[in-house]
Amino acid sequence: GDSVTQMEGPVTLSEEAFLTINCTYTATGYPSLFWYVQYPGEGLQLLLKATKADDKGSNKGFEATYRKETTSFHLEKGSVQVSDSAVYFCALSDRTGGFKTIFGAGTRLFVKA
Amino acid sequence: NAGVTQTPKFQVLKTGQSMTLQCAQDMNHNSMYWYRQDPGMGLRLIYYSASEGTTDKGEVPNGYNVSRLNKREFSLRLESAAPSQTSVYFCASSEAGGVNTEAFFGQGTRLTVV
């Protein structure tokens, strides 16, 4: 079945550092890919998405490119802020999976001032 | 614009008690989901409903039942709560099909079974 694997955390960075959170997926079809963010005490909210190969999703300075050849969707940000501290989830949704959203385990990010 | 509303936000149950978690969405979405979130395990799908009148098991359905009451509401029932069901539960909804399958989440229910 479909699955998502993302790097384990926690990731601890200083403010203005470069962020990469790795995500790879397994899917039988051609999934849409997502990054969700969960701030403390809240539900998940969509950060960005890409729906086909080579698409780049971007939002709030975060970017991720849909790489079909490496089945990856790594999240990057050039300069993190303390307010970016949260848990980040990579996810996919696939027609052959009935469009259920499958999530990775999540990566907790701490940004120090 | 309420989005997805879950009740209650917090609940403590004794082992063997039953309860129902309520979820409602006002976005006219066809699909609704129940997930549980446990440390180090991300979100695991319990049950989902692709459309009104249909429900299907997800990854971890044992010990739970669901009801898709109408297009807006999707409830999750624990018939006989166990400590292993201590978790944070999230309801979500999405449009069915196509590329617009972004999921919208409620604020979560923190359930403790003692």
Side-chain angles (χ1 to χ4, degrees), chain A residues 36 38 46 89 93 99-101 105, chain B residues 35 37 42 48 98 101-103:
Chain A
Y36 286 83
Q38 184 181 32
L46 181 69
F89 292 90
S93 178
F99 290 108
K100 301 186 299 293
T101 304
Chain B
Y35 292 90
Q37 183 179 27
Y48 69 102
T101 51
E102 171 190 353

Side-chain angles (χ1 to χ4, degrees), chain B residues 64-75:
Chain B
Y64 305 95
N65 285 301
V66 291
S67 295
R68 184 72 183 268
L69 304 170
N70 47 56
K71 192 171 185 179
R72 289 187 66 247
E73 298 173 286
F74 188 40
S75 62

